[in-house]
Amino acid sequence: MRQEERPREKAAWGYRRIHGELLSLGRTIGASTAWEILKKTGIGPAPQRADHSWPAFLKGQASAIVAADLFHVDTVFLRRWSVLFSIGHDTRRVHIAGITRKPTGP
C-alpha cells in the first residue's frame, strides 16, 4: 500500500474493506490475514456508530421527517372547524394544509 493509504489514515476501513482493496490491486491474501496484521499493529475493528439513541437518529433524519395532525377550533358562533397541519421536524415550521367543517367528507 502507498504511504497515504495506510489503515491509520483510513480509520473507517475494516479488515474486509482492506482485504477487498488488496484483492483489487492483485494481492491475494485471506481476510483473516488482513485482520491478523491489523490486530498485531494495534489497530482495532473499524469504528461503529457510537450513538444509537433515538434523539441521535431523529437528528440525522430530521430533514425527511414530517408530522401531520388534525385539531379543531370552536368559533364564537358555536361552529367547529377542523384544521389539517404538518410540521417539519428539522425546521419546526407549521404548514396549514386545509381547514374544513367536515374532516371526514370529500
Side-chain angles (χ1 to χ4, degrees):
M1 275 191 245
R2 291 179 288 186
Q3 185 69 17
E4 65 271 7
E5 290 184 356
R6 289 190 331 210
R8 290 196 193 283
E9 283 81 21
K10 305 289 186 185
W13 288 20
Y15 74 95
R16 290 188 185 272
R17 171 76 185 265
I18 293 173
H19 173 252
E21 290 294 321
L22 289 172
L23 287 177
S24 69
L25 293 172
R27 305 288 182 168
T28 54
I29 66 167
S32 60
T33 305
W35 181 77
E36 285 292 330
I37 293 169
L38 292 175
K39 186 177 170 185
K40 285 180 186 177
T41 57
I43 300 172
Q48 298 182 8
R49 297 175 199 250
D51 195 1
H52 294 296
S53 67
W54 184 248
F57 171 78
L58 289 178
K59 186 176 181 180
Q61 301 295 322
S63 63
I65 297 175
V66 176
D69 205 353
L70 203 67
F71 69 90
H72 66 268
V73 177
D74 294 322
T75 68
V76 292
F77 301 112
L78 300 176
R79 295 188 185 211
R80 178 169 284 183
W81 290 87
S82 296
V83 180
L84 176 64
F85 74 98
S86 64
I87 182 170
H89 194 277
D90 59 339
T91 61
R92 304 278 191 215
R93 290 189 181 187
V94 175
H95 303 277
I96 304 294
I99 300 172
T100 183
R101 291 204 49 216
K102 297 181 180 181
T104 58

